[in-house]
């Protein structure tokens, strides 16, 4: 059976500093690094007898450091993919969260949500985020290695799951899942029916 472990990077400096993340290249905090080591230990324990394992990661520092700790535990390299980055918030990246909150234009309840302009110069739309995330998932699933780990960000992880279950892009405008820093989501495709399961969503037991 194919198993995909989706990891959202743990606590980063922009979390504690109250700054907008996005493409702002914040690093892990000391607490985040400790949690990344727990993530690595947990997944290494689960995958120790799995045979070949692949690790894919956003190239942003906070995700990359998390993936590198895991790769070291598993003895494998990390494939960096910019398409697994968090949504770009354009000019808001690295600014105080209050700056974004004052200017953000939320999408409408009905109508066009994916291509909605949120009012922030240079920011990606949900459509742009989803298109590149779907492309990354497609590349990952082309591999014949059936045990894989994807290290990404909370906003991006929603579209990783949407791509996994085959949700059409045009239907993904209202989908949302809440992910915790350092959470692990387990996805599995069975060999008989080829159903794609969300086995466990945002597991954080390993952090406590």
């Amino acid at each position: 059976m194919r198993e995909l472990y989706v990891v959202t990077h743990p606590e980063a400096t922009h979390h504690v500093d109250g700054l907008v993340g996005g493409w702002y290249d914040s690093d892990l905090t000391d607490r985040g690094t400790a949690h990344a080591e727990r993530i690595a230990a947990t997944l290494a324990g689960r995958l120790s007898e799995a045979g070949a394992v692949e690790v894919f990661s956003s190239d942003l520092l906070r995700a990359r450091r998390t993936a590198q700790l895991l790769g070291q535990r598993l003895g494998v390299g990390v494939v960096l993919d910019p398409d697994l980055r968090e949504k770009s918030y354009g000019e808001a990246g690295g600014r105080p969260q209050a700056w974004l909150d004052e200017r953000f234009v939320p999408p409408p309840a009905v109508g066009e949500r994916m291509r909605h302009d949120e009012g922030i110069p240079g920011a990606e739309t949900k459509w742009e985020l989803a298109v590149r995330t779907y492309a990354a998932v497609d590349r990952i699933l082309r591999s014949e290695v059936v045990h894989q780990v994807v290290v990404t960000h909370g906003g991006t992880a929603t579209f990783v799951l949407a791509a996994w279950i085959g949700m059409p892009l045009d239907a993904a405008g209202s989908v949302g899942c809440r992910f915790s820093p350092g959470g692990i989501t387990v996805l599995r495709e069975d060999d008989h029916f080829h159903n794609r399961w969300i086995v466990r969503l945002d597991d954080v037991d390993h952090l406590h």
Side-chain angles (χ1 to χ4, degrees):
M1 293 186 292
R2 178 183 289 275
E3 286 192 318
L4 192 66
Y5 294 85
V6 181
V7 175
T8 47
H9 70 79
E11 183 183 82
T13 55
H14 75 274
H15 290 146
V16 298
D17 293 338
L19 303 179
V20 178
W23 288 10
Y24 173 63
D25 209 11
S26 61
D27 199 355
L28 295 177
T29 63
D30 290 343
R31 181 170 182 260
T33 300
H35 282 179
E37 291 171 347
R38 293 186 192 179
I39 293 166
T42 298
L43 289 181
R46 295 183 189 181
L47 295 168
S48 60
E49 298 181 2
V53 179
E54 290 178 322
V55 179
F56 300 85
S57 176
S58 158
D59 64 340
L60 292 175
L61 184 59
R62 54 197 186 268
R64 190 169 77 239
R65 287 195 189 280
T66 304
Q68 287 169 341
L69 286 169
L70 175 59
Q72 290 168 10
R73 281 273 191 161
L74 293 172
V76 299
V78 176
V79 179
L80 299 179
D81 190 339
D83 283 345
L84 291 171
R85 286 185 176 191
E86 181 61 283
K87 179 182 181 294
S88 171
Y89 286 95
E91 291 185 6
R95 292 179 181 264
Q97 183 65 43
W99 189 94
L100 173 60
D101 294 342
E102 291 171 359
R103 294 162 177 81
F104 185 80
V105 180
V110 296
E112 179 53 68
R113 293 174 53 86
M114 290 291 276
R115 296 174 177 83
H116 168 73
D117 182 353
E118 297 171 346
I120 309 300
E124 286 186 300
T125 62
K126 288 178 69 173
W127 176 264
E128 290 168 323
L129 168 61
V131 165
R132 62 175 170 81
T133 305
Y134 273 54
V137 172
D138 180 65
R139 290 191 295 273
I140 290 166
L141 296 183
R142 288 179 196 171
S143 172
E144 294 183 359
V145 175
V146 297
H147 294 94
Q148 298 165 306
V149 181
V150 175
V151 182
T152 187
H153 309 260
T156 311
T158 286
F159 290 112
V160 171
L161 265 63
W164 168 257
I165 65 174
M167 179 179 291
L169 267 168
D170 285 330
S174 297
V175 66
C177 298
R178 186 171 296 279
F179 293 92
S180 307
I184 299 174
T185 293
V186 183
L187 310 177
R188 184 175 298 143
E189 180 179 354
D190 71 80
D191 290 336
H192 186 65
F193 295 105
H194 300 286
N195 292 325
R196 290 186 176 177
W197 297 85
I198 299 175
V199 177
R200 192 155 192 183
L201 181 65
D202 194 37
D203 179 11
V204 294
D205 287 350
H206 53 284
L207 301 181
H208 303 302

